[in-house]
Structures are given as C-alpha cells and as structure tokens.
Amino acid sequence: MAEPGRAGGSPEPPVQVSIILPVHNSECWLDECLKSVWEQDFKGTMELSIFNDASKDDSAEIIEKWKIKLEEVGVSVIIGTNNSSQPRGVGFAKNRAVIQSSGTYLCFLDSDDVMMPQRVRLQHQVAIQHPNSIIGCQVRREPLDSTERYTRWINNLSQEQLLTQVFTSHGPTVIMPTWFCSREWFFHVGRFDEGGKGVPEDLLFFYEHLQKGGGVFRVNHCLLLYRYHPQAASHSVLEETIWNHRVRFLEDRVLSSWTSFTIWNAGKQGKKLYRSLSPANQKKVSAFCDVDEKKITKGFYTYEESEERPKPKIPVCHFRDATPPFVICVKLDMTGGAFETNLATLNLKEGKDYYHFN
C-alpha cells in the first residue's frame, strides 16, 4: 500500500540527523552558515530545521534561497516562523526547531557559526556509541584572538574534566553550538528553558542533563568556526544569575556529600562563595587557604553579615597547611602557571579532592 502522496510506494527513509538552527536577524552570517550545512560530507539522511524568531532583516529570503539548494542535494528543509513583532528568545526557538524536526539525532548550530564539512559525520559516529550523552567538538574562534583563555579551556579539557569542571564561570564544558545528541535523550532531559532574555538556557539544560546521569564527550577535531561578537545572546545573561545557578549546582552535586572542606582563595571570590552558601554548607567550611602572606597573617575571616552571635570566624591558612577537599576559587590559566604548579605539588585528584569553581 503506497503512502499517500508517495509515488511508487517506497516510504522515505527515517531521517538520521536534524540540524537545529534558531535564527533571529542573522542576515550577515546566514549565507556562510547555510553553505556549511550544504557542504556536509555525511552520507546518511539529513534535514535542516530552522525556526525564524521574528527576524526583521532579510534572513527569510536567504533561508528560501538555500532551501532550494539544499533540497537539490537531498537535505529537506523545515521552516517555522514566529511572525509576531517580538522574538520569543533562543530557548523557545531551539525547542520549536526540535519539535518540528524528526531526526533520530539532533545537531545544534547557531546562525553565526560555520560547520566544518565532517562535523555531522564524526559526531554522529560518536553519538551512536553514547546514546545518553551530549557530544561536543573542538572549535576555532573567530576572530582568533578573542576569548583566548576560554577557547583554550574548551579545546583542551580532558575526558574526566568534561565532568569535573562543570561548576566554573565558563559554563558547559562542551559549548552549545557544538552539541549533538539523540532526540530521545533531549526529550528525556526536557527541553530548553523558554524564559527568554537573561536566562542561561544552555547552562540549565546542561545541569539537568548531568543530574539525569548524562555523559559528556568531545570529538577531538575542530569542527566549528565559533564566532565572537558583542551582539551575541550570551552577553545578555546576568553574571549574578549564572553565579547563583552554579552555587546551587555545586551544593547539590558536591557539598551535599562532604562533611567539611576548605575554600582555596581568601580574597574576594572565596569570600563571595562562602557568603552565597546555605547556612548548613557555611558551617562545613573549615578554613580558607591562600598564598597571600597578609591574609594568612591576619589569621581568620569574620563573617560580618552573619546574624549569629558571636559572628563566625573562619581560619585562614597557607595552602600547604590546609586540609582537602578544596573548592578552588582561583582563576585557571591566569598566574603564568604559578597556581597550577602549587596545586600539582599537593598530588590531589580532581573530582575527589578538589573541584574548580572559577
């Protein structure tokens, strides 16, 4: 029995990969982005699912032009649109693009980024082996000299660190425009937050993914040109919002199973972390440690804002005299290797004896 509208009765094969592309006023990058979809060397079935979120520029025309080219090479294109005057935000647009798609696997892409031709093929190979994981990849930053520390971090985390360095201010250990995962797993985690501007929807999804036992892998090839520009949506998220999510996640995932710990950094960041903790977790802080002689000589930090009487006084000691486990609030890759060398002298295991928070 032929399917309705299908000549010859052969049903179309199921789509293996849907590329998920939210678009909002992206005309200056869209040609390059869509060309990179067209250039994929993946031999399986692939579709492009675009959600155009109230663009006011020529994005729609560019999409229509590429729809023809892509369908000529066997990539079907689904286009959803928010026609209202206001965009609903990137979480909403990504969810809609996923819902209207049908692929077994989802390949996330941002409209200002460019995929290398082998991206879908290489990530698909890994995703098949790890159905409950988010697969990322290495990236090349454009312009090259923007966010050098961040780019080094993204590209060089070890397999273990993809799971242990999830509390830092850098955010997810594989970045969202490189995500590739199964459709089934995406819905198991439960969609992106649709709160719109100011919501770190990638981070919240990533944390929920980890809470549900999801894995994280990275293909160690540069498969994405990752563009930096000040208009990026990620800049609209308040740092304070992200800080609060990170603290709660650290408390849930790590501090809940520790009876006491040391905060490595007796300066501003360490004290801020201490003040952000729940009262129960504040009581677990046995000391701050540092290398700054002045702070160590003073001997303790008084928590002035406390309601308690007498006010809590937390000892400050040299890092060599401190007791693990540590929550480390010292920025990585900032001290010319001095901090990393100090840490290495203690022979501790990351993810057991310490976690990085900064």
Side-chain angles (χ1 to χ4, degrees):
M1 172 79 187
E3 277 189 51
R6 295 247 196 276
S10 59
E12 288 202 359
V15 176
Q16 287 168 294
V17 178
S18 299
I19 295 171
I20 303 301
L21 182 61
V23 170
H24 174 66
N25 292 344
S26 312
E27 65 179 8
C28 39
W29 308 287
L30 210 42
D31 265 315
E32 219 184 330
C33 174
L34 293 171
K35 182 169 183 265
S36 78
V37 176
W38 186 72
E39 289 176 338
Q40 289 303 300
D41 64 14
F42 179 61
K43 294 287 181 272
T45 50
M46 193 167 79
E47 70 179 10
L48 171 63
S49 177
I50 297 176
F51 190 83
N52 185 356
D53 189 17
S55 294
K56 299 273 186 288
D57 63 0
D58 288 337
S59 293
E61 288 75 15
I62 298 168
I63 291 164
E64 287 301 332
K65 177 186 78 180
W66 277 101
K67 181 181 199 298
I68 297 164
K69 288 189 177 186
L70 284 160
E71 292 190 334
E72 279 170 1
V73 296
V75 177
S76 61
V77 179
I78 303 133
I79 303 165
T81 313
N82 164 18
N83 287 318
S84 73
S85 61
Q86 285 302 312
R88 292 286 303 272
V90 69
F92 177 86
K94 282 187 285 215
N95 287 339
R96 286 298 158 287
V98 171
I99 290 162
Q100 72 190 15
S101 73
S102 63
T104 309
Y105 291 91
L106 307 173
C107 173
F108 289 90
L109 177 62
D110 274 355
S111 58
D112 51 353
D113 297 332
V114 180
M115 298 192 283
M116 307 304 157
Q118 65 276 39
R119 178 184 172 190
V120 170
R121 174 171 55 85
L122 295 181
Q123 288 191 301
H124 181 253
Q125 286 169 2
V126 177
I128 289 171
Q129 296 162 355
H130 303 286
N132 300 349
S133 295
I134 291 177
I135 316 299
C137 65
Q138 292 173 322
V139 302
R140 189 172 99 230
R141 203 55 153 144
E142 175 77 33
L144 259 180
D145 56 356
S146 55
T147 68
E148 289 179 75
R149 272 177 67 234
Y150 179 53
T151 308
R152 258 199 307 277
W153 182 79
I154 293 165
N155 285 339
N156 296 306
L157 289 167
S158 69
Q159 178 54 47
E160 289 78 34
Q161 288 170 329
L162 293 175
L163 291 170
T164 56
Q165 292 202 11
V166 297
F167 307 103
T168 77
S169 53
H170 285 325
T173 49
V174 289
I175 55 166
M176 197 286 306
T178 71
W179 287 2
F180 195 108
C181 68
S182 81
R183 171 183 218 83
E184 192 181 340
W185 182 256
F186 176 84
F187 283 108
H188 176 69
V189 175
R191 307 188 188 187
F192 290 103
D193 187 297
E194 296 186 359
K197 207 171 166 74
V199 172
E201 79 289 333
D202 306 348
L203 184 71
L204 296 178
F205 186 92
F206 189 68
Y207 281 174
E208 188 58 32
H209 160 79
L210 293 170
Q211 292 287 37
K212 292 195 163 157
V216 184
F217 290 88
R218 188 185 65 225
V219 174
N220 287 323
H221 292 278
C222 171
L223 302 179
L224 190 79
L225 182 74
Y226 178 44
R227 218 185 288 270
Y228 177 82
H229 51 94
Q231 303 96 294
S234 48
H235 300 324
S236 71
V237 178
L238 290 167
E239 268 181 51
E240 213 44 39
T241 305
I242 290 184
W243 173 275
N244 292 331
H245 286 302
R246 287 168 50 217
V247 172
R248 298 291 87 83
F249 195 58
L250 179 76
E251 291 188 312
D252 277 0
R253 298 272 296 183
V254 176
L255 305 186
S256 57
S257 60
W258 284 358
T259 51
S260 71
F261 63 97
T262 301
I263 294 176
W264 189 321
N265 184 352
K268 209 166 82 183
Q269 291 289 306
K271 291 171 183 170
K272 182 179 177 185
L273 173 62
Y274 174 84
R275 290 195 302 270
S276 305
L277 296 172
S278 69
N281 283 319
Q282 285 177 344
K283 288 193 165 52
K284 297 180 184 178
V285 177
S286 56
F288 290 91
C289 73
D290 213 294
V291 290
D292 182 337
E293 289 305 331
K294 213 161 75 195
K295 295 188 182 99
I296 296 164
T297 308
K298 193 179 170 198
F300 52 84
Y301 160 65
T302 307
Y303 180 31
E304 294 294 351
E305 297 85 351
S306 176
E307 305 289 301
E308 282 185 45
R309 294 293 175 272
K311 291 174 181 173
K313 285 189 168 181
I314 298 93
V316 178
C317 62
H318 192 278
F319 77 87
R320 281 199 194 84
D321 305 321
T323 310
F326 297 97
V327 175
I328 299 177
C329 294
V330 179
K331 286 184 176 170
L332 290 165
D333 196 10
M334 281 292 270
T335 53
F339 161 70
E340 286 81 355
T341 306
N342 286 340
L343 179 58
T345 61
L346 299 181
N347 290 319
L348 302 173
K349 184 166 169 49
E350 184 169 3
K352 176 177 159 288
D353 303 314
Y354 68 92
Y355 283 90
H356 286 288
F357 189 72
N358 249 33

